[in-house]
């Protein structure tokens, strides 16, 4: 009885639109379904009902900017940047698995957790970063729409407004299930990259060699580092954290279904890296030994180049892939922003609500879409450069977003028995450190463009290894001094939910942690300024 009372006390009081069962695009699970899934058929049907948030967040990240960035990597550097993509699979899985736990256990969005646990300043800072980055990203999605349909001769003044209206209509149905079905259609269309790659007649031996052979055609320099950071930023973006956590909450996924959502997330990780790799492979083989090699302009230029070197069908397929990526990216990134605003301002924000019941939520979505679409119609903007710069900005801002994620996943009051294991903290810290090193290289080579990048990379890698060795030793010693975990903790996981946020005391920050956070944001400010300088230089 005591255990039952504890579970009842810890149960999170969800908003009424979040109560009830899961109504996914491919199946339904009743609200209090606690029957065991012993057969493979039962497990498969359950997975089909739950699948969605993980696939959508991952495939949505292969958006217009992603397609353009991968195409640029293949056209300008051949297969030599292909090795970066498999390395991003564990980064995607680690980051988004932590988000899965936060969403299912806490029942609130990522922005609200940051706001409530770290205070309004940090909440506003993180959402402010998110809004600027997301808005610029949405602009690139409409750039993708205009370039894709421009390939077929459709004016941007027709294609962009129609895409904006379609996005709003698709989202404001008042039904999560209908919205998710729309998104799954776009996910299926994402597989058009397979016939696209077949047309390029890739050599399997060269492809597999460059998957495992690090290097860059022409050597590491500030320009190639910028593109590597752009690849990281377009594949692993900060908006993913906010989107998937809120989408899990909106879909009513609870701790009982976490393992199924983990499978959904892993599947999405492999699908997104496969699609990204096929775009790199297509452009690498299509432009190899041609006048187009090393002369990337924008995604439209790639489509026309593919048409010239491989035939009309390839150019058409690439334009359709770009259009599809632009729509799914715009839908997911705009929704992530609207979810975050709803968290910060405390308004109703759910796809299960109709427009009249969540006016601010849908008004935010519509306003962002309309403004981004309007900006794209302004003539004379360097569209290719804007797209690359936005992806690089995402790569620079990702470490700070991951720091908050790591802090939340070690917050016992928030996750209880679901907090990170020590090995996961070590892996997450390693990922954050590597991302910081990449942005530091970009900063340094922007200020000192003639610097020896391989030597700088070796020096920073050595310094990072030494710091991580010392920090890891101290951390493992601290872990050994902790009391042994309670054997009953695993049993508590299925029913444990975060208590209402108003009843939890905020964590006390030490002076060291506060100084570290302010130094991190000071560093990020400088990195963003220097990124703008680099973008202007390339322009």
């Amino acid at each position: 009885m005591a255990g039952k009372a504890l579970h009842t006390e810890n149960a999170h009081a969800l908003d009424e639109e979040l109560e009830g069962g899961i109504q996914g695009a491919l199946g339904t699970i009743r609200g209090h379904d606690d029957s065991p899934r012993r057969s493979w058929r039962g497990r498969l049907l359950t997975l089909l009902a739950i699948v969605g948030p993980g696939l959508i967040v991952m495939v949505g990240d292969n958006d217009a900017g992603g397609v353009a960035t991968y195409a640029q990597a293949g056209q300008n550097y051949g297969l030599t940047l292909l090795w970066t993509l498999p390395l991003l699979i564990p980064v995607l899985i680690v980051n988004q698995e932590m988000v899965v736990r936060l969403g299912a256990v806490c029942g609130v969005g990522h922005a609200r957790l940051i706001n409530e646990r770290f205070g309004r300043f940090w909440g506003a800072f993180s959402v402010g970063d998110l809004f600027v980055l997301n808005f610029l990203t949405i602009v690139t999605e409409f750039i993708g729409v205009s370039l894709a349909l421009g390939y077929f001769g459709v004016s941007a003044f027709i294609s962009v407004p129609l895409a904006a209206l379609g996005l709003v209509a698709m989202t404001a149905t008042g039904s999560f299930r209908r919205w998710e079905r729309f998104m799954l259609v776009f996910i299926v269309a994402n597989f058009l990259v397979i016939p696209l790659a077949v047309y390029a007649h890739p050599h399997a031996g060269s492809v597999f060699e460059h998957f495992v052979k690090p290097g860059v055609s022409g050597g590491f320099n500030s320009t190639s580092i910028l593109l590597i950071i752009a690849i990281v930023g377009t594949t692993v973006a900060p908006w993913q954290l906010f989107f998937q956590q809120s989408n899990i909450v909106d879909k009513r996924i609870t701790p009982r279904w976490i393992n199924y959502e983990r499978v959904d997330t892993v599947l999405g990780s492999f699908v997104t890296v496969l699609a990204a790799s096929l775009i790199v492979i297509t452009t690498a083989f299509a432009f190899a030994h041609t006048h187009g090699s090393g002369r990337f302009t924008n995604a439209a230029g790639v489509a026309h180049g593919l048409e010239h070197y491989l035939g009309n069908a390839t150019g058409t397929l690439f334009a359709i892939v770009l259009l599809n990526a632009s729509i799914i990216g715009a839908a997911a990134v705009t929704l992530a922003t609207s979810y975050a605003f709803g968290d910060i301002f405390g308004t109703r924000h759910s796809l299960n609500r109709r427009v009249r019941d969540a006016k601010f939520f849908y008004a935010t979505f519509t306003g962002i879409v309309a403004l981004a679409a309007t900006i794209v119609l302004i003539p004379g903007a360097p569209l290719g450069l804007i797209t690359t710069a936005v992806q690089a900005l995402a790569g620079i801002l990702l470490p700070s977003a991951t720091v908050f994620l790591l802090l939340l996943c070690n917050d016992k009051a928030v996750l209880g028995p679901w907090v990170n294991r020590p090995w996961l903290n070590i892996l997450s810290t390693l990922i954050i450190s590597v991302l910081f090193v990449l942005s530091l290289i970009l900063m340094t080579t922007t200020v000192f463009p003639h610097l020896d990048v391989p030597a700088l990379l070796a020096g920073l890698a050595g310094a990072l290894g030494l710091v991580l060795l010392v920090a890891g030793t101290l951390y493992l010693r601290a872990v050994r001094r902790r009391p042994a975990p309670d054997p009953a903790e695993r049993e508590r996981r299925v029913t444990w939910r975060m208590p209402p946020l108003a009843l939890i005391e905020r964590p006390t920050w030490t002076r060291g942690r506060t100084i570290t956070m302010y130094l991190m944001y000071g560093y990020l400010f400088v990195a963003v300024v220097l990124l703008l300088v680099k973008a202007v230089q390339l322009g």
Side-chain angles (χ1 to χ4, degrees), residues 8 70 103 163 188 239 290 310 324 360 363 408 460 485:
T8 303
Y70 305 138
V188 171
W239 70 263
T290 70
L310 298 180
N324 181 72
F360 180 79
L408 287 171
L460 288 175

Side-chain angles (χ1 to χ4, degrees), residues 1-9:
M1 289 295 291
K4 187 174 181 179
L6 176 64
H7 296 156
T8 303
E9 180 182 339

Side-chain angles (χ1 to χ4, degrees), residues 218-259:
F220 288 96
N221 53 49
S222 60
T223 303
S224 61
I225 290 294
L226 174 65
L227 186 55
I228 290 172
I229 293 176
I231 291 172
V232 174
T234 193
T235 312
V236 191
W239 70 263
Q240 292 174 278
L241 310 179
F242 293 81
F243 173 86
Q244 190 171 4
Q245 183 166 334
S246 291
N247 206 237
I248 284 170
V249 174
D250 211 356
K251 194 167 182 177
R252 304 160 180 163
I253 294 173
T254 62
R256 171 167 170 70
W257 314 113
I258 276 183
N259 284 338

Side-chain angles (χ1 to χ4, degrees), residues 248-315:
I248 284 170
V249 174
D250 211 356
K251 194 167 182 177
R252 304 160 180 163
I253 294 173
T254 62
R256 171 167 170 70
W257 314 113
I258 276 183
N259 284 338
Y260 291 95
E261 181 53 29
R262 284 170 170 159
V263 173
D264 178 33
T265 301
V266 171
L267 283 174
S269 301
F270 280 94
V271 168
T272 195
V273 169
L274 172 65
S277 301
L278 291 176
I279 293 172
V280 174
I281 291 166
T282 299
T283 52
F285 281 97
F287 290 98
H289 312 298
T290 70
H291 291 296
S293 178
R295 296 183 178 181
F296 173 84
T297 52
N298 55 40
V302 174
H304 288 292
L306 291 176
E307 177 187 356
H308 178 72
Y309 296 115
L310 298 180
N312 291 336
T314 314

Side-chain angles (χ1 to χ4, degrees), residues 122-134:
W122 294 109
F125 208 109
S126 63
V127 173
D129 284 351
L130 179 78
F131 174 72
V132 172
L133 178 59
N134 281 11

